[in-house]
């Protein structure tokens, strides 16, 4: 047996592995497909073998072929076989292949559910991880539903690596199975404060993705994120959070106000460009959402614009690009501040980088005004001449049109200029935007009535020079403008000077090379012109010319009859008959001929207005018409296929030219309107126009005169100003000169005026008159007004499903489905007992609910509510194990099983909102103009409710306090200190309760949540008071140390500088003398004597915070450093250099991180024998209360309580380099004994010494 | 979210492709081709962001890429990702590859595309950034490699020997062998 195995192995040695395959493909470059086909045969052979190793190798090869574009879905089953191998090596190969090739439509996926479940609950760390990796790529709704519960379990795994992945994959689960969101959300929220930074970042990631699509539901998390933002040092997390805030602020302007301070601080202090950029982005979002109300909001804008300018001027193209991108966001709301940088942006148009040019173009869009439109367009035209690459040129063309036509031609003051620009644009070779130009021509000519004569004349010129444009007859090419030209000339022939020559131009044989839809317009409008010629002739009596024209038509139209385009053919036939008829009548002469003109013109009578874009949608459905009802019986399923083919050809018109739909729009009339209705509509429209302030009433007489005059002018002058091209085309340049002259005149006039008036407020923007008026009449169907303008945003269905209210308490239905049969047997036991227990819970819940109601009636204080919701463990409780946990006496509101009366739900919601309100208003009320203490204030807000819970007496006197002290803050510093002390003692009381609670509940089944996590003073930590570092009459420094668990060699010193003077302090430089062990991180390229500049200036009586990193080698000794702060005080009469010396002590406690530790882990750690060093101290603490003493140790020395039993407690802490520190604190007769164990003796003794100081000193 | 991660060389040959959204194989090839087309015509000193692949994405999506020697590393991301952040991530990815393969070059990616996938899986999962700390990433990868080795055990010995044999590629080795430069010979005067 064993022998045959070995033999099999040896044979397999000669099989081709992945490397061989790759090598083979590289060696067979000329006949790759043949070689691959051979290999595929081999692989198929190998997949048939029993040996898993062979299969795995085959699958591995398939993954490579998949990348090369070969379909490998046929091997799906074999992939699953390899996935199910117990060996990690093969499993990994299998999951990789699956993640690359499986998708929703892979039918064998349903076979994998149990296998994946087994892998997820596997003991091997990497088995589960690999399964999660794979699952994240091919998860389907079914898999998500069936596995949600298992992934939820993994979210509480003891291994951060798995927790991280489980948290992240939850997003995919939510997408596929939205029902999971509500039950899973509490746990997800919990992970935001996970001890492991990776898990935390994953949770932030997931919530940010969720919130991006449905931000409203996540507003309630804002305080939590705010806390994270002020405490986190991980730039990735910060960026995500800041981006999230950007999405949230539009919904809650107050949030923006709160954000602006910390964000501007970050902008000042951060050195990471990515963070800086995101901060600016979010500040912009804030400023957009709150355009008023922020005191220094122009300052913020200025700051942003100024920083962006630096980015744009940077030599790094990436920064330049991003700077422009962000600039365009500011532009939307604060165009003025961007317009000052016009020079810079125009300069970017010349950049060699296309992305940057496009961005700059985007900005131009917002920078135009009536004043500079001509100038900017001129510049763009120049660029267009120079630009190489049709792509960029097209973009420029589209941009010009967009700039000019934006908000209903708001900035176009002279439409003759605009029409000339459009005509000039037609000379652009090879553009794809012919249709766009044509649409503009139509739009302008139709809506700006005063310009018609001029634009018709231009169109006539275009038609006569059609041979220049018709050359490139490609789709959407420039020949499209002929469509507009022909139609306009036909529609408004009265403005033509010589309709006959135009008609001749339209019937040149060369026209037949044009696309069909243009030809048909030609034919149709030729007749319109004919009708007009007859009409004119009747007035003058020039019957001869009419006959000539008729004969010419008869001669030339037949070409069109032979057209291959149906539409052209049909129209041409009609027209030929019509002409014949007219000629016949004219031959008869006399009476018959007299009425001809009128009759023919009646064919084309009627004014045409553009149809409103949504007109079709707004046609009201007549009563009694059900559009969904079948007219005939639906066809039976079986015959569907045959029917479709036949039906398709019969009923569906062959849409070979889809442009129809586009072009027919302006001509479209609402069908079936009777005369009466039309009349009614017209009246209504008139009435509407009267009352509509947007409608510009035409004042024809005046304009017409001037424009006709200018028209003559325009036609004459062309040849002079435009060096080449077709004679007759108007040039746009002269309008610019004209405009400039006028402006000069106006300006001089205005100057005089201003002198009289004093400072005139507004810019001369409004003074520039618009030469022509744009009509805004649009055709709408009868009854349309009643229908509201509802957007039917076709948005992502996928994300809409995730729009779930998360604040609403869980309902009985909100549970993850628990599979009825599963491989893991752990869970089946509690499930069996579920019904009974569930009932019990409900009873208990009801009891406590009553109690709560009573309490609620007692106090109307918001804070109280807040605590209550806080106190209820928002546990997801999908599984019964969790349920038992919740079974505490204060749980009920969010417990999933109890049904709640709807009124209470509402109340609860209101409360949640109030929480947010409270948080948002908190800072405004407490510190109206204190820039710095953001973090501290938050923590205060957080702390107050805690007191409320602990004792009712405590809450009452405190309430007025917190509101009054905000007002008189600076006067009451001493009092404040006292208050703080009080708070501390209260807190400790509370905490004692907390411990008892958790201690009491601790049951074996609770393993998943470390007991310390529930209510220990994690929340208190940001309270951390800053120590005084040094102080003199001008400046004060207080500092705090921060460490991050990821960096074992770094301590960040956060120093708050406070300016006491009424002068600006600048050029702050921070320096310390490095010791062997501790060195200030000065950044690259600086010697160890250089000072670190503080990245801000201090305005009078303002505080700001700077951070300095220290690199530390060994942690076992405290570091004592001497340092100097130099700065410059800028006074009215010059400035003085000053310095302030200080001594900085980095004690050992500052290297310790409070890491949660379970009592079992703690015990095994003590028992492992690694902790060889011991130490003991004894002291009499100032806090006679044992809990107070514990709190101090936890707070100042960064320990975490593992377990507390009566008068003794075990504490755990870990240094950033991973040394464990275990303490046993005992309390007896007012004396505290601390026994410590650690792997590092000197660290331990130092820390113990520090603990002693902490416990015995009065004020810290 | 990251929609796709592509690695291809200066000629547009795919070296690794990872799509976090399903596309059929031929579509994937088209996307690679289109992206290559967009990216390859750009100079090295222009910015690393690109809008407008028509096949993948749409207005919300951006192509963020870096060019290293013979390889392009391209990430297609939506607006929830920070542009500069992704550039950093690409750097982390490449540095990790460099550490894992010891001076990574295109050949490493060609012959060990599976390993590249495993490394990538430690950085990005299902289109979301999983980990950016390089030491953490490398420890995880090394642990998995160890696990793989321990599973292979003695049985893999012959296979390894064989692949070592194949890897030797003696003719090429001889070709590649570098003789010490003897520049002075030409200058010798007799």
């Amino acid at each position: 047996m064993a022998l045959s195995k070995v033999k099999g192995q040896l044979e397999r040695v000669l099989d081709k592995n992945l490397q061989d395959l790759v090598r083979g493909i590289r060696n067979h470059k000329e006949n790759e497909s043949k070689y691959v086909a051979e290999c595929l045969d081999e692989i198929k052979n190998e997949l048939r073998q029993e040996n898993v190793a062979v299969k795995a190798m085959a699958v591995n090869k398939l993954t490579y072929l998949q990348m090369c574009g070969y379909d490998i879905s046929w091997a799906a089953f074999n992939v699953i076989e390899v996935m199910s191998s117990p060996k990690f090596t093969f499993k990994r190969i299998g999951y990789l292949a699956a993640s690359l090739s499986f998708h929703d439509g892979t039918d064998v996926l349903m076979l994998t559910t149990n296998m994946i479940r087994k892998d997820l609950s596997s003991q091997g760390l990497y088995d589960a991880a690999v399964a999660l990796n794979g699952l994240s790529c091919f998860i389907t709704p079914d898999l998500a539903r069936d596995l949600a519960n298992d992934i939820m379990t993994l979210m509480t795994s003891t291994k951060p690596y798995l927790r991280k992945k489980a948290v992240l994959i939850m997003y995919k689960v939510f997408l596929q199975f939205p029902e999971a969101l509500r039950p899973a959300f509490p746990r997800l929220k919990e992970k935001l404060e996970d001890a492991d930074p990776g898990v935390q970042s994953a949770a932030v990631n997931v919530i940010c993705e969720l919130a991006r699509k449905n931000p409203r539901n996540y507003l309630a998390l804002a305080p939590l994120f705010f806390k994270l933002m002020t405490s986190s040092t991980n730039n990735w997390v910060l960026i995500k959070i800041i981006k999230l805030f950007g999405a949230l602020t539009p919904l809650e302007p107050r949030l923006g106000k709160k954000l602006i301070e910390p964000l501007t601080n970050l902008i000042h202090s951060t050195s990471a460009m990515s963070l800086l950029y995101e901060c600016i982005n979010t500040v912009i979002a804030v400023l957009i959402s709150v355009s008023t109300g922020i005191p220094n909001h122009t300052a913020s804008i200025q700051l942003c614009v100024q920083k962006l300018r630096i980015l744009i001027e940077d030599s790094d193209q990436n920064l330049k690009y991003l700077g422009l991108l962000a600039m365009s966001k500011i532009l939307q709301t604060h165009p003025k501040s961007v317009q000052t940088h016009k020079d810079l942006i125009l300069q970017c148009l010349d950049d060699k980088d296309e992305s940057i040019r496009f961005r700059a173009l985007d900005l131009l869009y917002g920078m135009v005004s009536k004043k500079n439109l001509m100038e900017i367009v001129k510049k763009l035209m120049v660029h267009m001449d120079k630009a190489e690459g049709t792509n960029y040129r097209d973009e420029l063309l589209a941009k010009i049109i967009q700039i000019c036509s934006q908000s209903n031609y708001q900035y176009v003051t002279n439409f003759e200029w605009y029409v000339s620009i459009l005509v000039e644009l037609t000379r652009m070779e090879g553009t794809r935007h012919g249709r766009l130009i044509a649409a503009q021509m139509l739009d302008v000519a139709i809506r700006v009535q005063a310009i018609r004569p001029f634009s018709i004349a231009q169109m006539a010129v275009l038609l006569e020079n059609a041979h220049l444009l018709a050359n490139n007859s490609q789709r959407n090419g420039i020949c499209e403008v002929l469509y507009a030209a022909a139609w306009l000339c036909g529609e408004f022939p009265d403005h033509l000077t010589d309709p006959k020559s135009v008609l001749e131009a339209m019937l040149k044989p060369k026209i037949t090379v044009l696309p069909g839809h243009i030809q048909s317009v030609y034919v149709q409008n030729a007749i319109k012109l004919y009708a007009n010629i007859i009409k004119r002739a009747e007035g003058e009596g020039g019957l001869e010319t009419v006959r000539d024209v008729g004969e010419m038509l008869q001669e030339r139209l037949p070409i069109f009859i032979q057209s291959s385009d149906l539409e052209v053919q049909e129209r041409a036939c009609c027209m030929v008959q019509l002409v014949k008829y007219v000629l016949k009548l004219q031959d008869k002469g006399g009476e018959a001929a007299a009425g001809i003109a009128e009759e023919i013109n009646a064919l084309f009578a009627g004014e045409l207005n553009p149809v409103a874009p949504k007109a079709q949608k707004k046609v009201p459905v007549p009563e009694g018409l059900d559009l969904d009802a079948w007219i005939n019986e639906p066809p039976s399923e079986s015959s569907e296929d045959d029917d479709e083919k036949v039906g398709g050809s019969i009923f569906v018109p062959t849409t070979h030219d889809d442009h129809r739909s586009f072009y027919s729009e302006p001509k479209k009339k609402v069908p079936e309107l009777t005369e009466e209705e039309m009349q009614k509509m017209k009246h209504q429209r008139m009435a509407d126009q009267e009352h509509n302030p947007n409608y510009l009433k035409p004042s024809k007489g005046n304009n017409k005169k001037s424009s006709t005059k200018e028209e003559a002018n325009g036609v004459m002058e062309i040849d002079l100003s435009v060096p080449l091209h077709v004679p007759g085309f108007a040039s746009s340049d002269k309008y610019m000169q004209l405009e400039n002259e006028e402006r000069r005149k106006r300006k001089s006039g205005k100057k005089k005026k201003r002198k009289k008036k004093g400072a005139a407020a507004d810019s001369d923007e409004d003074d520039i008159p618009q030469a022509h008026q744009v009509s805004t009449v649009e055709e709408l169907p009868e009854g349309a007004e009643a229908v509201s303008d509802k957007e039917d945003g076709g948005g992502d269905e996928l994300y809409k499903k995730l729009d779930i209210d998360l604040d609403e308490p869980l309902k009985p239905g909100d549970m993850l489905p628990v599979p009825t049969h599963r491989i893991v047997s752990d869970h089946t036991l509690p499930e069996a007992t579920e019904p009974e227990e569930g009932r019990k819970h409900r009873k208990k819940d009801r009891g406590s609910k009553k109690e709560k109601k009573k309490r609620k009636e007692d106090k109307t204080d918001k804070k109280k509510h807040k605590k209550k919701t806080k106190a209820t463990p928002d546990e997801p409780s999908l599984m019964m194990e969790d349920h038992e946990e919740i079974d505490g006496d204060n749980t009920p509101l969010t417990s999933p099983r109890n049904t709640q009366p709807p009124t209470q739900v509402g109340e609860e919601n209101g409360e949640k909102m109030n929480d947010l309100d409270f948080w948002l208003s908190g800072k405004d009320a407490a510190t109206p103009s204190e820039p710095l203490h953001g973090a501290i204030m938050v923590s205060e807000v957080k702390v107050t409710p805690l007191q409320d819970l602990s004792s009712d007496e405590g809450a009452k006197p405190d309430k007025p306090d917190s509101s009054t002290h905000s007002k008189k803050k600076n006067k009451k510093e001493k009092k404040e200190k006292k208050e703080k002390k009080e708070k501390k003692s209260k807190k400790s009381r509370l905490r004692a309760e907390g411990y008892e609670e958790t201690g009491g509940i601790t049951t074996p089944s609770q393993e998943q949540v470390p007991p310390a996590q529930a209510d220990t003073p994690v929340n208190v930590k940001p309270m951390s008071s800053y120590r005084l570092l040094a102080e003199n009459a001008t400046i004060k420094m207080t500092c705090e140390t921060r460490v991050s668990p990821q960096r074992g060699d770094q301590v960040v010193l956060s120093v708050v500088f406070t300016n006491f003077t009424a002068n600006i302090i600048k050029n702050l430089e921070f320096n310390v003398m490095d010791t062997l062990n501790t060195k200030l991180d000065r950044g690259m390229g600086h010697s160890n004597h250089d000072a670190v500049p503080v990245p801000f200036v201090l305005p009078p009586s303002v505080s700001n915070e700077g951070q300095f990193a220290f690199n530390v080698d060994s942690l076992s000794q405290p570091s004592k450093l001497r340092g100097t702060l130099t700065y410059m005080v800028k006074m009215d009469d010059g400035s003085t250099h000053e310095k302030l010396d200080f001594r900085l002590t980095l004690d050992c406690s500052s290297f310790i991180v409070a890491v949660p530790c379970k009592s079992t882990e703690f015990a095994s750690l003590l028992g492992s024998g690694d902790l060889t060093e011991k130490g003991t101290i004894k002291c009499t603490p100032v806090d006679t209360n044992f809990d107070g003493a514990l709190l101090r140790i936890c707070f100042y020395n960064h320990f975490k309580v593992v377990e507390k039993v009566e008068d003794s407690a075990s504490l755990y802490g870990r240094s950033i380099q991973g040394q464990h520190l275990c303490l046993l604190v005992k309390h007896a007769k007012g004396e505290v004994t601390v026994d410590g164990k650690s792997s590092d003796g000197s660290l331990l003794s130092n820390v113990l010494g520090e603990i002693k100081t902490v416990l015995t000193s009065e004020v810290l | 979210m990251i929609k796709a991660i592509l690695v291809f060389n200066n000629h547009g040959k795919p070296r690794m492709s990872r799509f976090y959204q399903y596309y059929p194989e031929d579509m994937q090839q088209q996307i690679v081709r289109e992206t290559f087309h967009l990216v390859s015509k750009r100079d090295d000193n222009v910015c690393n962001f690109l809008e407008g692949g028509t096949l993948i994405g749409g207005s919300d999506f951006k192509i963020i890429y870096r060019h290293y020697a013979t390889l392009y590393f391209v990430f297609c991301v939506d607006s929830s990702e920070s542009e500069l952040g992704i550039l950093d991530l690409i750097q982390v990815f490449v540095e990790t590859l460099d550490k894992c393969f010891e001076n990574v070059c295109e050949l490493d990616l060609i012959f060990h595309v599976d390993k590249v996938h495993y490394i990538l899986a430690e950085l990005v999962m299902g289109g979301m950034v999983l980990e950016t700390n390089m030491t953490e990433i490398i420890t995880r990868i090394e642990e998995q490699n160890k696990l793989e080795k321990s599973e292979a055990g003695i049985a893999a010995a012959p296979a390894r020997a064989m692949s070592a044999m194949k890897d030797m590629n003696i003719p090429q080795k001889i070709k590649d062998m570098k003789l010490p430069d003897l520049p002075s010979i030409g200058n010798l005067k007799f």
Side-chain angles (χ1 to χ4, degrees), chain A residues 19-20 23 67 88-89 92 99 103 126 161 164 172 205 209 212 236 243 318 321 353 359, chain B residues 1 18 22 29 46-49 51 78-80 111 122 126 129 131-132 143 148 151 166-167:
Chain A
Q19 280 77 32
D20 298 326
R23 209 171 282 133
M67 183 184 79
F88 169 74
T89 319
R92 185 159 73 159
S99 71
H103 54 94
Y126 289 105
Y161 184 62
K164 179 171 75 178
K172 295 275 174 167
N205 218 334
E209 282 293 340
R212 209 166 71 89
W236 270 95
K243 266 187 169 281
N318 291 330
Y321 172 86
D353 188 344
R359 287 281 134 248
Chain B
M1 286 277 279
R18 172 49 109 190
Y22 174 69
Q29 292 299 306
V46 299
C47 76
N48 299 104
F49 313 118
E51 288 144 81
D78 71 7
S79 61
S80 76
F111 286 107
E122 297 300 323
V129 180
E131 183 62 69
T132 51
E143 273 177 44
E148 192 177 359
E151 274 182 356
K166 287 177 192 163
D167 272 343

Side-chain angles (χ1 to χ4, degrees), chain B residues 25-72:
Chain B
E25 273 78 11
D26 49 342
M27 188 65 179
Q28 292 187 1
Q29 292 299 306
Q30 269 182 48
I31 290 172
V32 172
R33 241 173 286 138
E34 189 202 51
T35 318
F36 169 71
H37 194 71
L38 283 172
V39 165
S40 63
K41 66 181 178 198
R42 294 171 63 84
D43 285 347
D44 267 351
N45 54 0
V46 299
C47 76
N48 299 104
F49 313 118
L50 252 179
E51 288 144 81
T54 49
L55 294 175
I56 194 164
S59 61
D60 196 33
F61 283 86
K62 224 175 240 155
I63 289 171
I64 299 175
Y65 74 97
R66 266 177 189 271
H67 189 192
Y68 292 90
T70 56
L71 291 176
Y72 285 97

Side-chain angles (χ1 to χ4, degrees), chain A residues 834-851:
Chain A
E834 186 238 321
E836 261 184 41
E837 285 216 11
R839 228 170 289 146
K840 263 189 217 161
H841 291 189
R842 246 166 274 157
K843 266 187 193 167
K844 268 187 195 167
D845 293 349
R846 225 168 282 153
S848 52
K849 220 189 292 165
K850 267 184 204 162
E851 199 183 283

